[in-house]
Every structure is written in C-alpha cells, then in structure tokens.
Amino acid sequence: MTLLRQVISAPVAHAVVLSRSCLAVSVTPRRKLSVSSSSRAPRVDANVLLGMSEQELQKLAVDLGQSFRNDLQEAGWTVGRLPIFRTVTAADGTVKLLIKLEDNRLIETVGIPVEDEKGPMRLTACVSSQVGCPLRCSFCATGKGGFSRNLSSHEIVGQVLAIEEIFKHRVTNVVFMGMGEPMLNLKSVLEAHRCLNKDVQIGQRMITISTVGVPNTIKKLASYKLQSTLAISLHAPNQKLRESIVPSAKSYPLEAIMKDCRDYFQETSRRVSFEYALLAGVNDQVEHAVELAELLHEWGRGHHVNLIPFNPIEGSDYQRPYKKAVLAFAAALESHKITTSIRQTRGLDASAACGQLRNEFQKSPLRIDSSTSSSESDIAVAS
C-alpha cells in the first residue's frame, strides 16, 4: 500500500477507503489538477489522490491516459509513500520500523500482533507524533535523541499504512505512544485521528492518545468529545517523585492534571487510563501503589492503571523491576479497588523502548548520499 499525497499546497484533509489495499486521499489544494479521462476510466475528482501499490498505480495510469503521472507531477503531487529505512522483527512477532521522512530524518513505528483464540488476530500500530521529543522524560530513549519537529498528519497516517503493508493485515488498534508528545502536535494528531477513523475505518474506541501532560490541552481535547481513550503517563503518585522522573511536571502539577482528568471524564463520559512505568527501586514499592490508589480515589471513580515494566535502554541508570515486585504493586492497587493491568512486554529483542532503535542510527538527518544504499534493509532478530 502506498500513500499518494500533496506536498506543496495543502495538508491531507480526509481519505476515502476503496478497499484495504487502496486508499483514496482527498485534499483541498490551492489549484486543481486537470486530468483527462478515457472511455474506460471512471470519473476522477480533481481533488482526490489514490494511494495504492506501484502495480495498481501503473494500471490506473493506463486507464486514465499515459500522461496521468506527468500531470500529477506538473501539478505538484508526489507519488509513493515514505520509504522504510530499517525493519527489525522480534522473536514474538513484534515488528519495529524506521521510516525515512523527506528531510532524511527517521521515525519509529511498531506493529504488535496479538493472536486471539476466540477471534481474529488483533494488530496494534504504535505511532509517533513527533521527530524526537522535547519533554525529555528521564527514562525515555526518545528524549535522549533530541527533538527536531512535529509530524504532519499524512506522516502519521502513513505509519499505519506501512504496518498494514508489512503484516498484510488490517490494523485494528492505534496507540499514539511512539516518539513524541501528541498534545504538542494536537492539530496533526486530530487530523490523523479523523482520517484513521472515518477513512481507514478504525473505530474511535480502538484508538488511544497518550500524553505525559501539557497544560490546557486535555481541556481542548475534551471539547472534541472523542470516543477514543485518553492515557495519562503518570509514573509517580506524588509531585516530588514525578518531577524527578518527568521534568515537564514542574509546569503542570499533579493536582492540576488530576483535575483536568476529572473534568475530561465529566465532559466525555470516557474513563481516563493511567500509564505507570515501573522503575526498580524508584517508584515500584507497595507504598507507592497505595499512595497512587489514594490519589485516584481522591479525584474520582472508574480509573484504570496500566503498569509498564521498564524496558532497559543503553545509558540509563534505571533497571527493570523483578516480576515479583510488579505483581505486588498490581495486587496492592487491586486491593484498593483500582482496576489494573500489566502490559505484556513485547519486542525486547527489537529495541522495544520508544526511540531506542532510532537512536542507534540517527540523532541528526541522514546524509542523502548514504540513504539510498541503506534503505529497505531488514534485520531478523533471533530468538
């Protein structure tokens, strides 16, 4: 599957799915493309671009006339999706992609397949919203790689299409938990959300937007009344500890975040999920769990906590907690009537931590002369 997009006049506005292998991306350019039709060709709206395989594009060019591609290029359209620079496959089936952008920067996206004995396979795409991240959470590999820019909506949607092409299977779930802080790029994230929901036909309830917390953005998101899940990366039960893990917490106190989450629930009737990365000896003690439960009960009901055992990264002083400590933390939360889940660790042998693979290859733009020979490489990770 490829993504055909306009790169000089307007952003992607919305897409219309023709089939799972053919995506029609509709935009509103400043100038329209005049395409001559043939007797065999269906009517094509000048504002619609088609994303499909190279073979399908060639067939379409024949149907519409041999000058089709030339007309597109002369009008400023670019054909083809962003190339995959690296593919790393873990023993558990998780696939992490490095996708190369037009400015030769790299972003990560991850495909996580889950086989379900009671139904069809679920395929989750974990997508990035920025090139790097400016918030620099102390345990996060992405922050260590620096920040470059926000992603556009088509660069976000393209990640999902790339995962579908790799797996030859439709993506069922999308989580904005890759590189970057989605709330610092909310405009593009909402545009991509609309496209993924309306046009790629992924249900809103199958989409999760994660944030470490950016002042005023949770209120703004609530105003859209999405049925998607809001996940707050909390990582600590009190302000002092949170500031040591998440430096940006200094500008957005825990009390303010919890108030905004309570207001979000009242506005949308959607339960807020709390992400909690367990760091051995830092925030993984039973007393931390009890304090967290008290905090959540203070600010409302119906909260859910997703525990995430730390994925080790190079150069970090943090350690992954023992399974016993993780289970004890979960049990303490549940004993205080907090719904709790433990995220299954996937892709540890594929540089699973967010930003980890990207940092192995790039902290500055790739040189153009080296990108061609390096692209499309595939690394199989042995079990």
Side-chain angles (χ1 to χ4, degrees):
M1 192 182 296
T2 59
L3 183 64
L4 195 66
R5 53 187 173 75
Q6 220 287 348
V7 295
I8 64 169
S9 61
V12 174
H14 67 279
V16 180
V17 171
L18 303 180
S19 70
R20 293 309 301 174
S21 63
C22 176
L23 181 69
V25 179
S26 175
V27 301
T28 309
R30 294 191 185 98
R31 53 178 178 171
K32 292 187 177 182
L33 169 65
S34 176
V35 180
S36 58
S37 61
S38 68
S39 59
R40 294 181 297 166
R43 180 182 178 276
V44 176
D45 191 314
N47 289 342
V48 175
L49 295 181
L50 302 177
M52 51 184 66
S53 69
E54 184 69 20
Q55 183 178 6
E56 289 168 332
L57 281 171
Q58 291 175 359
K59 181 179 184 302
L60 183 65
V62 172
D63 290 342
L64 296 177
Q66 293 296 332
S67 63
F68 174 64
R69 272 198 167 183
N70 290 337
D71 291 339
L72 285 175
Q73 292 172 353
E74 289 175 3
W77 299 96
T78 298
V79 179
R81 66 172 177 82
L82 297 169
I84 297 173
F85 180 79
R86 282 289 189 279
T87 303
V88 179
T89 304
D92 61 13
T94 299
V95 175
K96 175 170 278 192
L97 305 179
L98 279 182
I99 295 176
K100 186 157 71 77
L101 307 176
E102 285 189 340
D103 56 5
N104 285 318
R105 298 187 184 276
L106 299 176
I107 57 171
E108 291 182 357
T109 188
V110 183
I112 307 169
V114 178
E115 298 290 346
D116 191 342
E117 296 179 357
K118 299 180 181 179
M121 181 183 83
R122 290 184 289 113
L123 178 58
T124 297
C126 179
V127 300
S128 297
S129 56
Q130 296 179 305
V131 183
C133 183
L135 297 186
R136 297 181 178 273
C137 295
S138 61
F139 61 88
C140 181
T142 296
K144 294 181 181 298
F147 171 73
S148 300
R149 64 174 177 85
N150 288 334
L151 293 179
S152 64
S153 56
H154 78 263
E155 290 171 328
I156 297 172
V157 174
Q159 296 173 61
V160 176
L161 302 184
I163 292 297
E164 289 195 334
E165 184 171 9
I166 289 292
F167 281 88
K168 309 300 181 188
H169 191 284
R170 69 168 296 169
V171 165
T172 58
N173 300 70
V174 175
V175 293
F176 284 84
M177 295 183 180
M179 294 168 53
E181 167 53 62
M183 293 299 199
L184 289 176
N185 188 22
L186 192 55
K187 181 177 183 294
S188 291
V189 166
L190 290 173
E191 288 175 354
H193 181 283
R194 183 175 61 249
C195 177
L196 293 170
N197 173 231
K198 298 295 185 181
D199 309 315
V200 186
Q201 298 180 343
I202 298 172
Q204 284 198 22
R205 290 177 181 251
M206 300 296 105
I207 300 174
T208 297
I209 299 175
S210 177
T211 178
V212 75
V214 177
N216 301 316
T217 57
I218 294 177
K219 293 179 181 179
K220 184 174 182 180
L221 183 66
S223 68
Y224 289 91
K225 292 183 170 57
L226 302 179
Q227 289 301 296
S228 297
T229 298
L230 171 64
I232 304 295
S233 296
L234 203 61
H235 309 316
N238 60 68
Q239 181 66 17
K240 182 178 179 180
L241 180 56
R242 191 165 194 264
E243 285 184 13
S244 70
I245 299 172
V246 182
S248 63
K250 295 176 182 179
S251 64
Y252 198 8
L254 193 55
E255 183 175 343
I257 289 181
M258 297 307 298
K259 180 181 183 302
D260 286 345
C261 288
R262 183 188 62 190
D263 294 345
Y264 182 90
F265 174 76
Q266 293 174 347
E267 180 81 12
T268 66
S269 299
R270 293 289 295 163
R271 180 182 71 177
V272 176
S273 178
F274 292 92
E275 309 286 313
Y276 195 101
L278 288 167
L279 309 170
V282 178
N283 65 351
D284 66 336
Q285 305 302 303
V286 169
E287 52 264 35
H288 292 131
V290 173
E291 189 177 4
L292 176 60
E294 292 173 348
L295 173 71
L296 297 180
H297 283 308
E298 177 185 354
W299 287 98
R301 297 181 179 180
H303 296 306
H304 171 262
V305 174
N306 186 20
L307 300 178
I308 309 169
F310 175 65
N311 280 326
I313 61 174
E314 184 179 356
S316 174
D317 294 330
Y318 292 121
Q319 299 295 322
R320 184 179 179 85
Y322 290 111
K323 184 177 181 180
K324 181 179 180 180
V326 175
L327 294 177
F329 197 100
L333 287 175
E334 290 172 348
S335 69
H336 285 75
K337 302 187 185 312
I338 299 294
T339 304
T340 306
S341 60
I342 301 173
R343 180 179 296 176
Q344 180 183 0
T345 300
R346 301 292 300 270
L348 273 180
D349 52 350
S351 299
C354 180
Q356 192 173 358
L357 181 62
R358 177 244 189 179
N359 289 351
E360 293 176 11
F361 290 93
Q362 177 190 66
K363 288 188 179 179
S364 59
L366 297 168
R367 291 189 302 174
I368 295 177
D369 59 357
S370 65
S371 62
T372 303
S373 61
S374 299
S375 65
E376 309 254 348
S377 296
D378 183 88
I379 306 170
V381 180
S383 60

